[in-house]
Amino acid sequence: MVVLVGLNTDLGRIKAWWRTLGGDRFAVLPPPTRGRYTQSDGHEDAAEMFASRGIATDTSFAYWHWQSHDAFARSGELTGVLYLHWGGDHATVAAGLGEGPPGYRIVDNGPQGAFQLDKVTATDADGLPDPEDTAGVRQFLARVDEPRSRSTRSTEYDPLTAAEERWLHDRLAGPVDLAAAHRFAAPLEHRQALTPDETARLLSAWRETYAGRLTAWQGWRSVLLALLRQEHPEAWEVAAELGADASHALAAHPSPRSLELLRAWALTGDGSAVRGWFRAHHALREPDPVRAAAALSEELTAHTAPETAQTGLLHALRGAVTAEHRTPRPPTSERFFPLLLSTVRFATDERLPRPLRVAAAQAAADTAGRVREAAGRLADPAEAADALAAVDRYETARDDLLAGTGPDLSGYEGRLGDIWHHYRTLAPSDVQWLRDRLADPATGVQGIAFCLELLYAHGEATETDLQALLPRWKKELSKQYRTTYTEWRHPLVTLTCLALDLEHPAAADLLAWWAKPKPLWKAPVRLLTHLGAPDEEKAAELWEFIVSGGHDTGHLMTWVLLRARLDGVHPLHVAEKLIDEPGIRAYVLHHVLIGVADPAQPLWHYTIDSRSHSWWHRAQEVADHPALSAGARAIGLKAAREHCITRYPDQVRPALTEGEVNTARAWLAARADRTAAD
């Protein structure tokens, strides 16, 4: 069914206004399609538009992407805030967008945020919207449901006025409409204001409508908290059915019964349950947080709980210690100093079992420098000396604690990308850890992709690794896995390359699978397997695709690395010969040039990641490479100038010390003459 969106819809009016924007040094991108899914896609679209229309590359611009477009219903109604992203000079963009179209308003969130576009709505004398005004109701609920403060242990909200509370209760007074009720129940229960009658009616409708899938209803957390607070007889039956998802609520209402449930879930390794178990145990049985954590750590080890359980326990311990004991913060500096210092201390605290100290050492690996720098600014010399001594102890013990360990491979993908620069060289213990993970049947597709890419790129992947993964490739590794936002490829691409390089018999089966037309997801990445056992025929097929203008998902980088292997040269020299080559998109070549700066660990992210340590270091290396042409070095310097490390250092992950930021700025300042020449 095709839905036609007219000018009298929110989307139609906003598009009509959008077409009027643009002018001197400011441009807007056309409304998005699904191809512009992220901010990186938006910046790519801007580069393409500037090139095709002859617009100066330093022009500021605004756009929204497909994820932002979810603010519109299919009818064209604006059902949420529309986030407008941008590039270039913030003041220029703000002036170019103005106040928004009539009937709407724009909120400027500053140089490090997106602009927000929303409807202008009316309220009564009490600041309350008409219940029939969907936009006004949405804005009111967003306001009253915004926390006043957050911590690792609690979230606080401003009190409601009598009129606001009465308005919310009125919305729950009639027949229960679960689709809408959760929006009104949440702000009430955040103030512990849901009544027993409201709770009972919501519970009945919830259990009837969502039987067997209780977490599918958005309002379940508010009702569970109310059930526990009101000591409702059905609370425990509901909690047991919810399972570990109920951990936070049970920890907020500790009791022997909640402790029993939390312990059972925690021993499976569930991080939320581990944190809840600690909170309940600390509240009921052991007031000393370190002793409480030590006891639970030993129990986790005794029951062979997953390693990630120790990390969850560490997070709970840090939150408890920093909440109960005030640690001074250095002036004008590290806001997380108390939390970071406690992590450093726990890594060498002999009261804690080794698995928990190892978890602390891992957590402190990228923060010790920030602690040392911030400690030096403490006003009390004794406190500063104590903090610095803690860092010294940590750095002495670090290598021993971290030997043979690695990151959580099942967690947030971005965190694995954040630490990619730690693996530019592999210690023997790193190699063994990576191999062990590949051999472990519990390692998922993301973990396999991460580990196999590192071993293969460094020339450490072996037939043993191949044999460990072959039983899994048809049922597990042949599934779709999006990799264009990471530094590693699809694991089946890498596995195929390894099999080809080793001339293993399995290579024929793998290539036969790649040659089949289905599943469709593999078509864009099939050519990336040509990096394995490269030859001139593969190079020619890749090149034909590249100059055809097809969507690049690593093809040019593959060709550059392949060509470098065939010619026996550094891939940087292959890439620099493509500068100004007809048919080669400049923005793709620029990220490839920097991405192959270290052929032992190419950066497969489809664009330059300006928040990454890896991309910053490679940009520097390209900019200063004595054997590269001036044009190639200028590309590296341009990427370095645009990196967040000097423009928005708070966005770099892992976080930087001020010393690192100052060093980066000094490096750029020393090349100001080259910047001016550009």
Side-chain angles (χ1 to χ4, degrees), residues 435-499:
R435 285 180 174 155
D436 289 345
R437 300 290 77 71
L438 290 182
D440 185 350
T443 303
V445 171
Q446 175 177 284
I448 290 171
F450 178 89
C451 297
L452 186 59
E453 183 72 54
L454 286 172
L455 289 171
Y456 180 78
H458 285 286
E460 296 285 355
T462 66
E463 185 173 351
T464 301
D465 304 315
L466 177 67
Q467 290 292 125
L469 294 174
L470 284 179
R472 304 179 63 179
W473 81 264
K474 288 186 179 180
K475 288 188 176 180
E476 297 176 64
L477 303 188
S478 60
K479 302 297 188 290
Q480 185 172 12
Y481 170 65
R482 191 180 181 100
T483 62
T484 54
Y485 303 108
T486 68
E487 307 300 1
W488 50 89
R489 296 168 295 174
H490 191 289
L492 199 54
V493 170
T494 316
L495 188 69
T496 303
C497 290
L498 176 60

Side-chain angles (χ1 to χ4, degrees), residues 180-218:
H182 73 91
R183 300 186 302 150
F184 310 118
L188 284 170
E189 188 52 31
H190 286 155
R191 284 87 172 174
Q192 299 190 344
L194 269 180
T195 67
D197 176 66
E198 290 167 341
T199 305
R201 290 190 300 108
L202 289 169
L203 172 63
S204 177
W206 171 34
R207 299 193 75 179
E208 179 181 350
T209 306
Y210 291 90
R213 53 189 186 99
L214 293 184
T215 58
W217 180 50
Q218 290 179 278

